[in-house]
Amino acid sequence: MAYTRGNLAVKQKPAEKVVRKYRETTKVVVRRSALPIQEKMLYLATVLFCVAIAGIIVWRYAYIYEINKNAQEMASATAKLQQQTTQNELRQHLLENDIVARAAALGYIEPTDIVPIQVSRDKGTTATSTDIKVNN
């Protein structure tokens, strides 16, 4: 039963059947309009500009990365050279302290007469045996 405005005593009407001999159909045709050449060029220029800016930024970051890498390599090379220098200085001091004992063990003796040799400092001249003076 139908309920109409609070009254249940309304008789239900039978459904009317409508017979149609043909069916109306409508077809929606969507035509995409092409973009004008100027607008296409504007979009292309915008994309190229963004790609160029991104490329420059990436290139700069790569350059900064390379500089940092070189700085780290130089720092590690410097530290290695400093370590070798300290090892060589330690070895030099050990050899300086031990040189007299090693020379005596090998049979060398200390010289008693020291003869100074003088070398001419003038360019183009050579020291001769007559230039050598002996201090006694």
Side-chain angles (χ1 to χ4, degrees), residues 108-119:
Y108 293 102
I109 56 171
E110 286 190 48
T112 54
D113 340 343
I114 299 176
V115 178
I117 298 175
Q118 294 182 352
V119 179

Side-chain angles (χ1 to χ4, degrees), residues 4-16:
T4 307
R5 296 186 191 182
N7 189 359
L8 291 174
V10 178
K11 188 176 180 182
Q12 197 172 15
K13 293 182 183 179
E16 295 179 18

Side-chain angles (χ1 to χ4, degrees), residues 13 63 85 108 136:
K13 293 182 183 179
Y63 180 70
T85 303
Y108 293 102
N136 285 335

Side-chain angles (χ1 to χ4, degrees), residues 1 11 36 44 73 87 89 100 105 111 135:
M1 283 194 138
K11 188 176 180 182
L44 179 66
E73 287 176 355
Q87 287 176 351
E89 286 175 353
V100 176
N135 294 333

Side-chain angles (χ1 to χ4, degrees), residues 3-133:
Y3 181 78
T4 307
R5 296 186 191 182
N7 189 359
L8 291 174
V10 178
K11 188 176 180 182
Q12 197 172 15
K13 293 182 183 179
E16 295 179 18
K17 290 185 180 180
V18 178
V19 178
R20 293 186 184 164
K21 293 182 181 178
Y22 64 92
R23 183 175 175 192
E24 278 188 49
T25 59
T26 57
K27 189 172 187 179
V28 178
V29 177
V30 178
R31 296 183 74 191
R32 298 181 96 189
S33 62
L35 293 175
I37 297 288
Q38 291 175 343
E39 195 170 351
K40 286 180 185 177
M41 289 298 171
L42 176 67
Y43 291 152
L44 179 66
T46 304
V47 168
L48 290 178
F49 178 74
C50 291
V51 168
I53 295 298
I56 290 171
I57 290 172
V58 168
W59 178 72
R60 292 303 292 172
Y61 273 110
Y63 180 70
I64 290 170
Y65 174 79
E66 183 180 351
I67 288 175
N68 286 338
K69 182 181 155 201
N70 289 342
Q72 288 176 354
E73 287 176 355
M74 284 185 183
S76 66
T78 303
K80 190 182 230 183
L81 288 174
Q82 285 178 346
Q83 183 181 11
Q84 288 178 351
T85 303
T86 54
Q87 287 176 351
N88 289 339
E89 286 175 353
L90 177 64
R91 186 170 168 221
Q92 177 187 1
H93 289 300
L94 291 175
L95 289 175
E96 284 176 355
N97 293 339
D98 197 31
I99 195 164
V100 176
R102 280 186 176 220
L106 292 174
Y108 293 102
I109 56 171
E110 286 190 48
T112 54
D113 340 343
I114 299 176
V115 178
I117 298 175
Q118 294 182 352
V119 179
S120 174
R121 300 280 184 197
D122 296 331
K123 187 174 182 179
T125 60
T126 58
T128 59
S129 60
T130 58
D131 293 340
I132 300 174
K133 297 179 184 175

